[in-house]
Amino acid sequence: MKIPGVTVQELMAIPVLKEAKVLSGEQGLSRVVRFIDIMEVPDLKGWVREGVLLMTTAYSIRHEPEVLCQIIQLLHQGGAAALVIKPTRFLTEIPHSALEESNACGLPVIEIPADIPYTDITQRVMDMVLNRQAELLRRSEEIYRTLTTMVLENSGIQAVSDNIAELFKAPVALIDNGGQAIVTSPQEWDWTKVQDARHFPISVDKRTVAKLVIARNELDDMEQVGIEQARLVMALELMREKAVEDTESRLRGNFIDELMTPPLPLRHEVERRGRQLGFNPEDDWEVAVLESAAAPPEEILSGLLSMESTRRRVVSHIEFRSNRAILFLPTLQQNVPGSDQEMSWSDTLKNWSTEKAWGTADYYLGIGSAKKLWELLQSYNEARRAITVAQRLYPDQRVCKYSDIEMHYMLGEAMDKEEFSNVFERKLGRLQQYDRSHGSDLLKTLFYYLENRGSLVDTANYLFIHRNSVKYRLERIRDMTDFDLNDPREQFICHTCLIHYYLREHR
């Protein structure tokens, strides 16, 4: 924060300057004086401090008065407050070009009588600056004490925000990094519709976590001090809330671990603890598992889930384990009075995938079926199975519901017997050998042809080849196997054999 000071206009009202005259640059009288200096040499480059009131007798430029124009330019560029000069002693008159430059840049040029000692001016000005600083310090301590007391008394972030709004006599809002309002004062204030608002970052652990928005365009020194204290107290309040959230998240994580690790707790115990931790046992719960080659983006996923849960008015949860993210997603029962027909969680997750919300990493996301809270382990296992089937049968399908591949998984589990291998060898062994010898994809073409219900176009789109290529491959398959691919029984046998091959043999 800048050192507080007094304006040039305020200084002109002190008795010692009652005979001083503003020669030019009147529009700059609101400039703030923070320091005083005396010019001994005309070369000021690199020496001008912001807020300085420069006094001079012009002795060093008495033979080159035109240099005064350059001095005014340097003072303006350096953010000086004003130039105070005693021209009658060494200058016959101030050059007209210097006065024009002063008016152009808005730097006041003030003439004082030659008989006024510099010490009278410097002492009075510094007294005013120091008194202003003392007043700001006192006010700063008062604001800090008031706001921190509210935090220590756990008044809540809304009460702190209301106090800040009262302090500045203006609406305020605390918004997160996603632009969502954490709290506003007044509570219904829409900060997005305000044009003249200022934003101040709020940092916790050296990281910007929010912004304080104030519907004010200009702030004086006193209000700037209030801003600094408000930012600090808001950071303390956010840290306190974060500590509470972290504790609750850890307790929820421990509860989830118990639900996912046999032996499972009793149903009545799950219901009791679930209500305490915000997991409504009346809801159905789906578990979604995201696995990727690298660690999933925790901040992005957590933010997306938080916003979606707020929109749905439910409490969800997410756990991160190495290269895996596990999402626990509650779904309101549709027969509950007042409940809305929401987009399914699987559709929401697919939209996130389509929009590449979590980047372009190599990942698969499996979604289990809806279960009760005490049955989460079943939904979790189903989500893992969906990933397994997707990786082996549908490598381009990144999001997979267990209900869509349930029969495939059950067939795969039942195909451990040697008879299935014998059937595959008898029906499709020749195609397998041909693929291995020639590097072709006849087996894959047949599988996706059957998956797409005999559609040449859909099969070609899935394999990224021309439909004529699909047609040619199918003709090769017919020539080598003598299959009738229009026969439903033949289709069923081939399809089952291929599921066996990709799930059990071709891992």
Side-chain angles (χ1 to χ4, degrees), residues 299-414:
E299 188 171 347
I300 294 176
L301 280 175
S302 298
L304 288 170
L305 185 60
S306 176
M307 287 191 292
E308 182 64 22
S309 299
T310 300
R311 190 185 68 80
R312 292 173 182 253
R313 299 179 182 178
V314 297
V315 177
S316 57
H317 186 69
I318 187 169
E319 288 280 316
F320 295 95
R321 310 286 174 81
S322 185
N323 66 330
R324 183 181 302 159
I326 310 171
L327 293 78
F328 302 90
L329 312 171
T331 303
L332 295 175
Q333 297 185 21
Q334 298 302 326
N335 58 358
V336 175
S339 64
D340 297 328
Q341 293 287 338
E342 292 280 0
M343 178 188 294
S344 68
W345 276 109
S346 60
D347 289 338
T348 298
L349 295 175
K350 287 177 181 177
N351 286 343
W352 292 356
S353 171
T354 302
E355 297 167 2
K356 296 183 177 179
W358 46 66
T360 58
D362 186 16
Y363 66 87
Y364 284 92
L365 192 145
I367 307 171
S369 55
K371 301 289 184 183
K372 288 301 181 182
L373 190 59
W374 51 89
E375 300 171 328
L376 282 184
L377 181 58
Q378 298 180 35
S379 186
Y380 171 75
N381 289 334
E382 290 176 357
R384 296 291 309 280
R385 293 166 186 167
I387 291 176
T388 299
V389 173
Q391 288 174 330
R392 296 175 185 173
L393 296 183
Y394 314 106
D396 295 326
Q397 185 174 329
R398 298 296 180 173
V399 181
C400 184
K401 293 174 59 179
Y402 179 73
S403 58
D404 293 338
I405 54 83
E406 182 176 13
M407 187 57 64
H408 295 73
Y409 181 81
M410 294 174 63
L411 284 172
E413 289 296 297

Side-chain angles (χ1 to χ4, degrees), residues 202-341:
I202 308 293
S203 298
V204 174
D205 294 335
K206 299 181 180 179
R207 186 169 61 92
T208 299
V209 296
K211 290 181 180 179
L212 181 63
V213 181
I214 299 182
R216 290 280 298 277
N217 193 25
E218 298 293 336
L219 298 172
D220 59 25
D221 288 339
M222 190 73 73
E223 291 166 334
Q224 289 285 358
V225 170
I227 286 292
E228 295 302 314
Q229 302 299 351
R231 290 173 59 195
L232 176 59
V233 172
M234 278 298 191
L236 291 174
E237 185 68 26
L238 291 175
M239 286 179 64
R240 187 186 65 80
E241 290 196 350
K242 183 177 184 300
V244 173
E245 291 175 359
D246 289 346
T247 300
E248 292 178 350
S249 179
R250 185 169 62 254
L251 292 174
R252 287 196 294 266
N254 294 338
F255 179 55
I256 289 293
D257 285 341
E258 293 183 31
L259 293 179
M260 305 287 286
T261 307
L264 302 179
L266 298 176
R267 172 175 169 175
H268 69 85
E269 180 67 15
V270 173
E271 291 178 332
R272 182 185 66 82
R273 293 183 59 192
R275 289 190 179 94
Q276 291 177 344
L277 296 172
F279 293 105
N280 188 356
E282 303 300 325
D283 293 341
D284 293 329
W285 291 78
E286 299 172 64
V287 178
V289 177
L290 184 142
E291 291 186 356
S292 60
E298 295 188 17
E299 188 171 347
I300 294 176
L301 280 175
S302 298
L304 288 170
L305 185 60
S306 176
M307 287 191 292
E308 182 64 22
S309 299
T310 300
R311 190 185 68 80
R312 292 173 182 253
R313 299 179 182 178
V314 297
V315 177
S316 57
H317 186 69
I318 187 169
E319 288 280 316
F320 295 95
R321 310 286 174 81
S322 185
N323 66 330
R324 183 181 302 159
I326 310 171
L327 293 78
F328 302 90
L329 312 171
T331 303
L332 295 175
Q333 297 185 21
Q334 298 302 326
N335 58 358
V336 175
S339 64
D340 297 328
Q341 293 287 338

Side-chain angles (χ1 to χ4, degrees), residues 12-30:
M12 294 300 296
I14 63 178
V16 72
L17 293 178
K18 65 181 180 179
E19 296 183 8
K21 299 178 182 179
V22 179
L23 301 180
S24 58
E26 287 90 348
Q27 68 270 36
L29 291 176
S30 59

Side-chain angles (χ1 to χ4, degrees), residues 8 31 49 90 124 133 136 149 214 220 224-225 263 269 292-293 309 318 415 442 450 462 477 506:
V8 177
R31 294 190 180 216
R49 301 174 68 185
F90 297 106
R124 185 67 183 111
Q133 292 178 10
L136 289 175
T149 298
I214 299 182
D220 59 25
Q224 289 285 358
V225 170
E269 180 67 15
S292 60
S309 299
I318 187 169
M415 290 177 179
L442 296 184
L450 297 173
Y462 194 92
I477 291 171
H506 186 61

Side-chain angles (χ1 to χ4, degrees), residues 444-481:
K444 183 183 292 187
T445 303
L446 177 59
F447 175 69
Y448 289 114
Y449 175 75
L450 297 173
E451 281 283 316
N452 287 289
R453 300 177 300 281
S455 170
L456 293 176
V457 175
D458 291 344
T459 304
N461 291 338
Y462 194 92
L463 296 173
F464 300 103
I465 59 177
H466 196 274
R467 62 190 299 268
N468 288 337
S469 298
V470 177
K471 193 173 182 181
Y472 169 77
R473 292 181 185 182
L474 292 175
E475 290 174 356
R476 291 288 298 152
I477 291 171
R478 290 190 184 96
D479 292 342
M480 296 175 63
T481 61

Side-chain angles (χ1 to χ4, degrees), residues 161 164-165 168 170-176 179-181 183-185 189-202 210-216 219 227 231 234:
S161 176
I164 294 173
F168 291 100
V172 302
L174 186 67
I175 61 174
D176 60 22
Q180 299 296 315
V183 63
T184 62
S185 296
W189 180 52
D190 187 356
W191 66 273
T192 61
K193 296 181 179 179
V194 178
Q195 299 294 328
D196 295 330
R198 298 190 64 180
H199 297 224
F200 302 91
I202 308 293
K211 290 181 180 179
L212 181 63
V213 181
I214 299 182
R216 290 280 298 277
L219 298 172
I227 286 292
R231 290 173 59 195
M234 278 298 191

